[in-house]
Amino acid sequence: EAGVTQFPSHSVIEKGQTVTLRCDPISGHDNLYWYRRVMGKEIKFLLHFVKESKQDESGMPNNRFLAERTGGTYSTLKVQPAELEDSGVYFCASSIIQGGLEAFFGQGTRLTVV
Amino acid sequence: AQSVTQPDIHITVSEGASLELRCNYSYGATPYLFWYVQSPGQGLQLLLKYFSGDTLVQGIKGFEAEFKRSQSSFNLRKPSVHWSDAAEYFCAVVKNTGFQKLVFGTGTRLLVSP
């Protein structure tokens, strides 16, 4: 069974540019989560999808971040325009049971904004 | 608000020695508790979890953790560390009611010396 897959694994962009991160959850997992870890800090929740609907986006930093999950399958997280403080590792996770229980994480996308 | 404290940023342990990683949480009720590990180039992998019942929980790779309600702690232990255990370890909690999202500690990086 394939795990949670994230693309790309690394991305280096200039300030002001746009970047789109992608997450393919485990097949059949209705719940999809995005988390972010800024250097040296804790991993923080960004948002949660149940199928294609946003259940909770309280962790999204600002309106430069847009997450979508069309069709309830893969999800994208777009940052536009990127700022230096957006650098970090973005994790995606999926689960069958709502609430993060038994959540399976991807390997993360390391985003560097220069 | 919930919080998780991992007081040790780095720990160095000799191969074969025992290991204990500390985790304290702040929450009014008993949350669901987790330990995750991130090895270099890998995603977050669930080591073990505590929901209820026996307060000593066995996980993968020979790890165990003990929930102590009186101390609000969930320390991770391993009797004999292997070089492959070098990684970053994260403690996390989830509320046991309502919508849950993982709240992580800042992580402890484990170095294993020969």
Side-chain angles (χ1 to χ4, degrees), chain A residues 35 37 48 58 99 102 106, chain B residues 43 49 88 99-102 106:
Chain A
Y35 290 84
R37 188 185 192 200
H48 169 214
S58 60
E102 306 282 3
Chain B
K49 58 187 181 289
E88 193 158 18
F99 168 66
Q100 303 113 331
K101 56 196 179 192
L102 290 163
T106 50

Side-chain angles (χ1 to χ4, degrees), chain A residues 11 17 21 30 64 70 73 83 93 95 110:
Chain A
S11 180
Q17 289 186 322
L21 313 181
D30 288 340
R64 295 185 294 102
T70 306
T73 54
E83 298 290 344
S95 73
R110 181 174 295 278

